[in-house]
Amino acid sequence: MKKVELKLAFTELGLDELDHEDKMLYDKAMEAAKIAYAPYSGFSVGAACLLDNGEIFTASNQENAAYPSGLCAERSLLFYVGANRPDQTILKLTVVIKSKLRDAKKIYSPCGACRQVMAEYQNRQSSPIQIMFEAGENKVLVCSRIDDLLPFIFNF
Ligand code: THU
């Protein structure tokens, strides 16, 4: 028998501690959240990512009356980037919430399905994607790679 323990790493930062680039991504994700299509949950999510060539893309959650047909902000964004910039490396991805339902004290980390998709894009480009998400009032958590959010990606 072999017992293994994993260590996960993240950094907690105040919004006022973010460098210019991360603050810009946060703001752009927030702009995207404002135009989310979330009439069913009332929970608007925005995502922004920075590519190696300097381009920034954003997206938001897109819901549907047939609930499971909707898609999270992160996957809307990653699938768009995967389809349109397949040769670019994704450096950073930021996820934010804009909703009356948002509990100011809560951490809002990406859902499991989005983590799985992030992990595959990270594997595909063979370099880490930094992920930043809401961690309470004016605070964020930053993981320097998806492995810190999803250690056992499904792969074959
Ligand atoms: N949602 C996201 O966009 N990202 C996540 O990581 C979790 C949840 C969306 C899906 C749905 O439109 C709404 O938030 C409520 O679950």
Side-chain angles (χ1 to χ4, degrees), residues 42-81:
F43 198 75
S44 296
V45 184
C49 70
L50 172 68
L51 306 185
D52 202 21
N53 67 359
E55 280 186 300
I56 291 174
F57 286 95
T58 63
S60 55
N61 52 332
Q62 299 296 313
E63 297 187 347
N64 192 276
Y67 291 2
S69 304
L71 197 62
C72 291
E74 301 92 310
R75 275 177 289 160
S76 299
L77 176 61
L78 286 172
F79 291 151
Y80 182 87
V81 171

Side-chain angles (χ1 to χ4, degrees), residues 99-114:
S99 169
K100 285 188 194 127
L101 300 172
R102 176 173 183 254
D103 176 342
K105 295 193 187 84
K106 260 187 77 171
I107 293 174
Y108 288 101
S109 54
C111 80
C114 289

